[in-house]
Amino acid sequence: MNLKNLINSALDVVLPRRCPVCDATLGGDERFLCRRCLAALPRTRLEETEFNAMEQLFAGKVPVERAAALFFYEKGSPFAAIIHDIKYNNMAPMGVWMGAYAVRMMQASGFFDGIDVVIPVPLHADKLAQRGYNQAERIAHGIAQETGAAIGKHIVATRPHSTQTQKGAYERWLNTRDTVAATPRAATELQGKHVLLVDDVITTGATIIACAEALAAIPGITISIFTLAAARLE
């Protein structure tokens, strides 16, 4: 056993790592989630369905090549703790790990094939300073590490918006209008590229639609969308 493993084993004794879903103590070779909860992850398998429910969400609004999420998000479900920990409990490394895990789980579908640039949905500077990191960027880094695609910061948040949690679809759309913009270099650097917009969770799609709209006019661009989790969209 090398020194790093020895240190990790010692830390596990003093401060045992726990699965955020079931609170079981993680084994030495388990990362962030236990094997049982990974096996029980409520996978959407949207990537296996042509013109799936997530792609239908964007139809007629923005041109999207493909869209999918790894697992279903339901408030009150124990699996919602994955998103909550990544977003609010300073578990940025779990976001990277889950992004890479998603690529491996969805590899057979070819969903991530041909992606040139992975672009996380941005956080406004005020919220970024408060949280310390952008959870979408952490997930995007995991995807980029696994696929070899570049990370692109070609969208910026131009103004903050209030929380989306208690808002309906129309209110969310109003809340996200004019909140993001493409950077000046996006038009040249993304021309002819296949980009993947990445966020942590999708409900109505208002935030990602705003991001896609910011890029849609770039000549030759192809836009696909991935979120780690998705509300039930049917």
Side-chain angles (χ1 to χ4, degrees):
M1 184 179 289
N2 61 35
L3 180 60
K4 182 180 179 181
N5 288 339
L6 281 170
I7 293 171
N8 288 338
S9 296
L11 286 172
D12 283 346
V13 172
V14 179
L15 295 169
R17 297 173 300 118
R18 296 192 175 277
C19 175
V21 178
C22 69
D23 201 39
T25 301
L26 296 178
D29 59 345
E30 291 178 325
R31 295 287 310 277
F32 301 110
L33 274 71
C34 70
R35 288 191 188 87
R36 177 180 293 182
C37 289
L38 273 178
L41 194 70
R43 290 278 311 279
T44 70
R45 302 194 184 278
L46 290 169
E47 72 277 9
E48 299 172 5
T49 303
E50 188 174 350
F51 196 48
N52 63 50
M54 191 163 161
E55 291 167 355
Q56 292 173 38
L57 195 63
F58 302 104
K61 301 180 181 76
V62 286
V64 169
E65 180 74 10
R66 48 188 184 254
L70 179 65
F71 68 95
F72 284 115
Y73 175 89
E74 294 181 273
K75 190 175 180 180
S77 163
F79 291 96
I82 297 171
I83 297 298
H84 190 273
D85 277 9
I86 293 172
K87 196 168 186 173
Y88 301 115
N89 288 346
N90 202 32
M91 289 295 289
M94 184 163 72
V96 179
W97 185 80
M98 287 298 297
Y101 179 77
V103 176
R104 295 194 297 273
M105 290 300 99
M106 297 166 63
Q107 188 173 18
S109 71
F111 180 83
F112 295 97
D113 293 353
I115 299 296
D116 299 303
V117 186
V118 183
I119 302 177
V121 168
L123 280 183
H124 187 265
D126 293 346
K127 187 169 286 187
L128 185 61
Q130 179 184 12
R131 190 170 297 165
Y133 62 93
N134 177 356
Q135 72 278 0
E137 186 178 350
R138 296 294 85 206
I139 296 165
H141 269 278
I143 293 169
Q145 288 175 11
E146 199 70 21
T147 61
I151 284 280
K153 295 184 179 181
H154 295 89
I155 304 174
V156 293
T158 55
R159 67 171 177 84
H161 61 74
S162 57
T163 179
Q164 301 271 69
T165 306
Q166 301 299 323
K167 291 180 170 62
Y170 181 67
E171 291 173 310
R172 285 174 184 246
W173 176 74
L174 287 177
N175 197 38
T176 55
R177 288 185 69 191
D178 305 318
T179 59
V180 297
T183 64
R185 57 192 176 85
T188 54
E189 294 183 1
L190 299 181
Q191 187 169 342
K193 301 292 186 182
H194 188 170
V195 304
L196 181 71
L197 290 174
V198 173
D199 206 357
D200 55 345
V201 62
I202 187 170
T203 48
T204 64
T207 301
I208 290 187
I209 287 171
C211 291
E213 286 175 340
L215 299 176
I218 295 173
I221 195 169
T222 302
I223 300 171
S224 288
I225 292 165
F226 172 80
T227 59
L228 191 58
R232 299 276 179 178
L233 301 169
E234 292 81 6

